Amino acid sequence: MAEKPLRLLACGDVEGKFDILFNRVRAIQKKSGNFDLLLCVGNFFGSTPDAEWEEYKTGIKKAPIQTYVLGANNQETVKYFQDADGCELAENITYLGRKGVFTGSSGLQIVYLSGTESLTEPVPAYSFSPKDVSSLRMMMCTTSQFKGVDILLTSPWPKYVGNFGNSSGEVDTKKCGSSLVSSLATGLKPRYHFAALEKTYYERLPYRNHIVLQENAQHATRFIALANVGNPEKKKYLYAFSIVPMKLMGAAELVKQPPDVTENPYRKSGQEASIGKQIPVPVEESACQFFFDLNEKQGRKRSSTGRDSKSPHPKQPRKPPQPPGPCWFCLASPEVEKHLVVNIGTHCYLALAKGGLCDDHVLILPIGHYQSVVELSAEVVEEVEKYKATLRRFFKSRGKRCVVFERNYKSHHLQLQIAQPGAAYFYVELDTGEKLFHRIKKNFPLQFGREVLASEAILNIPDKSDWRQCQISKEDEETLARRFRKDFEPFDFTLDD
């Protein structure tokens, strides 16, 4: 059965004309039915007075659709974006953040990069640097399964996008735009790429992401630049489209080439050769990711060390960040109670929980020091997923079910509990495949996950909601650990190597 496409809207520079935009969206939805999301690129805020925005900010008015926006492109509007990791600006209006990946319930992947290009340090709050672009490329492109992303959102146009394509009008794409964005588009291979800032509409002919007769066929990319909202020339500023996430598409359907497809405008050739140069690998700052509903497996943000199989000089894995002080969960730390460790992999290990809810309450922990899943390298993420899948099989074989949860709030070391780039969050994964994500904005109960599981409605052991009240002797802990190791051994994938 064919997957139902998502219906999306993309918009150019709003420049503070919120009423014009949202009234137009209402009219479109009244005529054509509801859309799932509105994605805004370019300048969301303008130099107009704030009276109109205050009505949305205070709830007097409300956006008619879930709206996601990019950040500032100038110093004047930086004040509206207080949280670099993204935040809710008003009801139904969310700032995505400086850079990152937004994953939806259907598996739709949207990579976003806020601001304009800057090649100088320090980078202004309204700009992105080569490090930012490199971190996004490395995060997404270093797994063998990577094919591309569904959507790329940037404010600037990519430089040279007009090469081999239809006329871009008055915009000279050899002079205008960002080379860093071109590099990002080359690596990410988005199916749709939206940009703005030039106050004009330009829908480029689709271009290939592969070299004919030299590489296997890949999907095409459509670049669309949108004009500013309410422009007197009535240039197109709102673009409606339907899309099925690539992860749900068959290979033949995905790589089907449009009849008007052109060569890739960013291919190395002559003066454009600089586009393809590898940007220096970042050693800091991870990207950030939002989830508007999590029901699919692709529910994480990840960073990666990256490597190119054709390179004669493979990159060394990046050293994990060091803890700010003593850490109870870094395996090399003297604070770790090693008798609770029940299995050690290449990048992660399993340990019984201290004061567990039940005898087989275990933690999945990275061997290196990482604060949350969103900071993990691709290799660590892969092993975390392997441990989760293995534990599900293990518990199922024993007639049990498991819940996975993580709290990235007032914690220094990642702990994925199985009793299963950053922003604070609480994440739950059920063995039915359902995933729940909550963005923590203010105070949050530190033992929330444990308290819910211990409640009368689930495990009915409310007296175990506080782990400190459940501690047992070291001898008893060692007995439980030995028993778990023995029971888990038939499922231990680390013995396969």
Side-chain angles (χ1 to χ4, degrees), residues 229-459:
V229 170
N231 66 85
E233 298 87 1
K234 299 190 181 302
K235 295 177 181 178
K236 189 170 184 173
Y237 64 82
L238 205 55
Y239 184 93
F241 66 110
S242 297
I243 185 170
V244 174
M246 66 164 55
K247 68 174 291 185
L248 302 181
M249 298 177 67
E253 182 185 8
L254 179 63
V255 303
K256 193 178 296 181
Q257 301 294 295
D260 53 352
V261 69
T262 76
E263 291 301 316
N264 190 307
Y266 316 123
R267 289 286 179 198
K268 291 183 181 180
S269 61
Q271 64 191 41
E272 285 81 54
S274 61
I275 300 174
K277 289 183 179 178
Q278 181 64 45
I279 300 170
V281 178
V283 294
E284 57 196 9
E285 280 199 284
S286 61
C288 296
Q289 176 168 5
F290 273 90
F291 307 77
F292 60 91
D293 181 17
L294 286 175
N295 290 310
E296 288 294 315
K297 190 172 183 179
Q298 200 80 3
R300 60 177 181 265
K301 174 187 77 178
R302 62 189 188 279
S303 62
S304 170
T305 55
R307 57 185 179 271
D308 184 346
S309 59
K310 297 179 181 179
S311 170
H313 305 292
K315 299 185 185 298
Q316 296 300 313
R318 187 170 44 179
K319 186 178 181 180
Q322 298 303 303
C327 179
W328 292 95
F329 301 104
C330 286
L331 191 55
S333 170
E335 282 78 17
V336 169
E337 297 193 49
K338 292 184 170 57
H339 67 280
L340 293 173
V341 176
V342 293
N343 190 268
I344 302 177
T346 306
H347 306 286
C348 305
Y349 71 99
L350 292 182
L352 289 182
K354 188 81 172 174
L357 279 166
C358 49
D359 289 350
D360 44 15
H361 181 168
V362 294
L363 310 177
I364 302 177
L365 304 120
I367 291 173
H369 183 83
Y370 296 90
Q371 183 174 344
S372 67
V373 166
V374 299
E375 294 181 353
L376 299 182
S377 67
E379 293 87 353
V380 183
V381 166
E382 183 178 353
E383 192 162 276
V384 166
E385 292 298 322
K386 203 167 184 178
Y387 265 122
K388 287 195 291 186
T390 303
L391 285 165
R392 288 191 190 100
R393 291 196 301 273
F394 168 68
F395 286 121
K396 186 176 181 180
S397 73
R398 305 175 70 81
K400 297 182 179 182
R401 301 181 63 184
C402 67
V403 175
V404 181
F405 66 92
E406 179 198 359
R407 167 180 51 83
N408 180 33
Y409 176 68
K410 295 187 178 180
S411 59
H412 296 293
H413 192 113
L414 163 65
Q415 308 159 49
L416 267 184
Q417 309 210 26
I418 302 187
Q420 84 129 306
Y425 61 81
F426 184 81
Y427 172 73
V428 180
E429 196 171 309
L430 307 179
D431 60 3
T432 58
E434 293 176 277
K435 300 181 182 182
L436 309 171
F437 180 91
H438 173 70
R439 178 72 179 274
I440 299 173
K441 297 180 180 178
K442 293 184 179 179
N443 295 327
F444 190 81
L446 295 184
Q447 298 298 325
F448 177 77
R450 184 184 179 104
E451 290 169 358
V452 170
L453 288 172
S455 68
E456 294 180 3
I458 302 181
L459 293 178

Side-chain angles (χ1 to χ4, degrees), residues 170-186:
E170 297 177 359
V171 179
D172 185 349
T173 61
K174 287 183 171 60
K175 297 178 180 178
C176 165
S178 163
S179 293
L180 291 178
V181 172
S182 302
S183 170
L184 187 61
T186 301

Side-chain angles (χ1 to χ4, degrees), residues 188-249:
L188 296 185
K189 305 174 187 176
R191 294 165 65 201
Y192 284 87
H193 180 181
F194 294 97
L197 297 184
E198 299 301 328
K199 300 187 182 299
T200 192
Y201 169 70
Y202 172 51
E203 183 169 3
R204 191 201 184 281
L205 292 173
Y207 64 81
R208 297 185 187 93
N209 282 298
H210 64 279
I211 301 174
V212 178
L213 301 180
Q214 294 185 38
E215 299 174 330
N216 292 331
Q218 299 179 43
H219 59 272
T221 293
R222 301 174 187 273
F223 172 76
I224 297 146
L226 294 161
N228 48 312
V229 170
N231 66 85
E233 298 87 1
K234 299 190 181 302
K235 295 177 181 178
K236 189 170 184 173
Y237 64 82
L238 205 55
Y239 184 93
F241 66 110
S242 297
I243 185 170
V244 174
M246 66 164 55
K247 68 174 291 185
L248 302 181
M249 298 177 67

